[in-house]
Amino acid sequence: MIRKIISSLCLLFSLVSLAQEGTSSPYSFYGIGDVRFKGTIESRSMSGIQVEQDSIHVNLDNPASYSNLKLTTFTVGGTYNLTTLKNDSSSEKAKRTTFDYLAVGLPMGKLGIGFGLIPYSSVGYKINSYSTEDEETSSRDYANGGVNKAFFAASYKLLRNLNLGANVDYNFGRIETTNIKAVNGVVTGTREINNADLSGVNFNVGAMYQAKLNKKLNLFTSLSYKIESKLTSNNTRDVATVSFTSGYDYTVVQSADQETSKVKLTLPSELKFGLGIGESKKWLVGAQVISASEGNLANTYNTNASSSVTVSYDKAMKYSLGGYFIPNYGSFSNYFKRIVYRAGLKYEETGLIVNSQSIKDKGFSVGLGLPITGSFSNVNFGFEFGKRGTTSAGLIQENYAKFSVGLSFNDRWFVKRKFD
């Protein structure tokens, strides 16, 4: 039965992930969009902490985790995001519902493998702007698309407490941006459409180590490194004269020849190190630091921004602190004692600098892991609250609230029948 569920969800997720508009952030204009993949719901409920060698949850942050799985594990997650966008004078609300990831982990003795699909980044915004004096001219900018990752990972239990792993990601996607300019009282204007078809491959390596401090306490460490890689962007630019019918609705009057170009983007390298201490199946407290190089993500469509906006990229840093608590993992009489309670804090310097302002992301999260009675499967809920950006220098601050749901199905596959 679980195989039929997995097959159906894989097909549905593959179709939806390519069509969804996963963000409403104006900061998604830059680079390859808003990088919204932050790990599984379990990990995000602890602000990204996932250092324990878990046997029933897939860890999408470190490829060394798969050799610790005891059961075939299928995981899928989605998020409802409510964002308030505000500047010095006004505010707007935006809502998005997205699929976040789909993955399968397979235990094979000391070897473990995993594969799946992740909508990695998203572009999605709609901005109306007017001339500063008498509003004689106006423009509308809107965009959609993003980058998806199809990945394959493998890990090996080299020693009893040491796992090594690696994975390969195939990155693909399309970003489309549209700009419409109009002059008040004039029925014609201009429309520019930019399409970027993106593709490339990157590699990650990782290690996880666990040590006994005493009879109860364990020390957990996690280290992973994403190697700097190239992303090829095949760009097309289509400019046309248009006649407005109503508002920004238009018909094309005359279209110019398309312009094409090829750009090589550089995806930054990324180093993650996590450290935790805790009692197995009882509690865990951990911290994680992520350092990423600046990369080179400037593309044709996002280097033609207004001259009043200056954009640059710097190294990114993220600091997380989080953990979980289980009152009584083996309780038969009280279901609530088997629930996993999670929480975490984060502070992130995203590496994006707009008008000399470093864009930061601060937030906290809480979550619950609800076991499904009679199995090792579980349903996970996560709540995240925070803010990104600033209202200084004419920029926009995003106050967000996210509600996430993740399913983790566990079953035993490849067992030889003893009876027909």
Side-chain angles (χ1 to χ4, degrees):
M1 182 64 181
I2 190 174
R3 302 189 195 192
K4 294 180 180 179
I5 295 174
I6 291 175
S7 299
S8 300
L9 287 175
C10 284
L11 178 60
L12 174 64
F13 183 81
S14 300
L15 295 173
V16 173
S17 65
L18 300 179
Q20 66 179 332
E21 188 174 312
T23 184
S24 57
S25 172
Y27 295 115
S28 67
F29 175 84
Y30 306 104
I32 58 173
D34 182 13
V35 178
R36 60 187 182 85
F37 175 70
K38 307 296 183 182
T40 61
I41 307 303
E42 302 94 288
S43 171
R44 284 162 48 186
S45 297
M46 299 184 288
S47 293
I49 304 299
Q50 197 155 356
V51 297
E52 190 176 10
Q53 296 182 13
D54 202 317
S55 61
I56 60 172
H57 294 98
V58 171
N59 179 349
L60 298 179
D61 292 320
N62 192 328
S65 63
Y66 292 95
S67 54
N68 212 64
L69 291 174
K70 302 301 182 184
L71 299 170
T72 297
T73 303
F74 167 79
T75 185
V76 62
T79 296
Y80 173 77
N81 189 352
L82 176 62
T83 306
T84 300
L85 308 165
K86 68 176 186 177
N87 57 19
D88 289 330
S89 59
S90 62
S91 65
E92 296 286 343
K93 293 187 183 294
K95 303 174 183 178
R96 292 290 186 273
T97 301
T98 60
F99 280 106
D100 293 339
Y101 56 86
L102 178 151
V104 176
L106 302 174
M108 298 180 177
K110 290 187 175 183
L111 178 69
I113 63 173
F115 55 89
L117 180 65
I118 298 170
Y120 180 70
S121 72
S122 291
V123 176
Y125 58 84
K126 185 179 292 184
I127 302 173
N128 294 332
S129 57
Y130 305 91
S131 60
T132 56
E133 296 181 359
D134 53 10
E135 296 188 358
E136 287 186 356
T137 63
S138 63
S139 67
R140 169 174 286 186
D141 293 275
Y142 56 93
N144 59 72
V147 175
N148 301 287
K149 286 180 177 287
F151 73 91
F152 178 83
S155 70
Y156 185 76
K157 187 172 286 294
L158 187 64
L159 300 173
R160 184 172 178 269
N161 294 323
L162 175 64
N163 299 350
L164 301 178
N167 76 284
V168 56
D169 299 331
Y170 174 66
N171 307 298
F172 64 97
R174 164 175 277 211
I175 297 173
E176 180 178 291
T177 65
T178 302
N179 171 262
I180 302 171
K181 292 182 179 178
V183 178
N184 188 31
V186 179
V187 296
T188 59
T190 61
R191 181 224 61 194
E192 178 181 331
I193 297 177
N194 289 280
N195 283 309
D197 291 302
L198 304 156
S199 62
V201 174
N202 70 272
F203 299 90
N204 305 299
V205 294
M208 299 186 78
Y209 179 74
Q210 174 179 334
K212 274 280 188 184
L213 297 179
N214 56 40
K215 275 189 174 183
K216 291 185 175 181
L217 290 182
N218 293 290
L219 177 69
F220 305 97
T221 59
S222 174
L223 179 68
S224 65
Y225 181 70
K226 180 169 70 176
I227 302 169
E228 183 179 276
S229 61
K230 297 295 182 180
L231 192 64
T232 301
S233 179
N234 291 301
N235 303 325
T236 60
R237 178 173 179 262
D238 185 1
V239 180
T241 301
V242 298
S243 176
F244 295 104
T245 56
S246 175
Y248 282 101
D249 295 333
Y250 63 85
T251 58
V252 175
V253 175
Q254 183 178 2
S255 183
D257 292 335
Q258 281 192 348
E259 298 178 9
T260 61
S261 64
K262 180 182 286 189
V263 178
K264 289 286 187 179
L265 309 179
T266 302
L267 294 177
S269 61
E270 186 177 86
L271 179 66
K272 294 182 182 180
F273 176 70
L275 183 69
I277 186 172
E279 185 178 344
S280 181
K281 299 178 181 179
K282 183 69 176 179
W283 62 271
L284 171 77
V285 175
Q288 181 173 269
V289 178
I290 303 176
S291 174
S293 64
E294 61 188 70
N296 181 13
L297 299 174
N299 206 342
T300 304
Y301 69 87
N302 57 29
T303 53
N304 294 329
S306 170
S307 58
S308 62
V309 178
T310 59
V311 180
S312 61
Y313 300 92
D314 200 356
K315 294 180 180 179
M317 293 292 295
K318 180 180 179 181
Y319 306 92
S320 301
L321 178 67
Y324 71 78
F325 173 70
I326 309 173
N328 186 352
Y329 179 82
S331 176
F332 290 101
S333 59
N334 192 327
Y335 177 83
F336 292 97
K337 288 186 177 181
R338 293 189 283 124
I339 293 176
V340 185
Y341 300 89
R342 303 183 176 101
L345 298 167
K346 71 172 183 180
Y347 173 81
E348 181 177 4
E349 297 176 356
T350 64
L352 177 64
I353 300 174
V354 184
N355 288 349
S356 301
Q357 297 291 319
S358 176
I359 306 303
K360 298 179 174 63
D361 190 346
K362 308 169 187 176
F364 70 94
S365 56
V366 294
L368 298 173
L370 306 181
I372 298 176
T373 303
S375 71
F376 289 99
S377 301
N378 48 86
V379 182
N380 298 282
F381 296 95
F383 305 87
E384 187 176 359
F385 307 90
K387 69 176 183 177
R388 180 171 65 166
T390 176
T391 56
S392 301
L395 301 183
I396 294 175
Q397 179 177 301
E398 302 172 7
N399 297 325
Y400 58 83
K402 300 179 181 180
F403 171 65
S404 303
V405 179
L407 304 177
S408 183
F409 297 107
N410 296 273
D411 200 358
R412 190 178 298 277
W413 287 10
F414 312 116
V415 177
K416 187 177 180 180
R417 291 185 178 181
K418 296 182 178 181
F419 303 99
D420 290 328

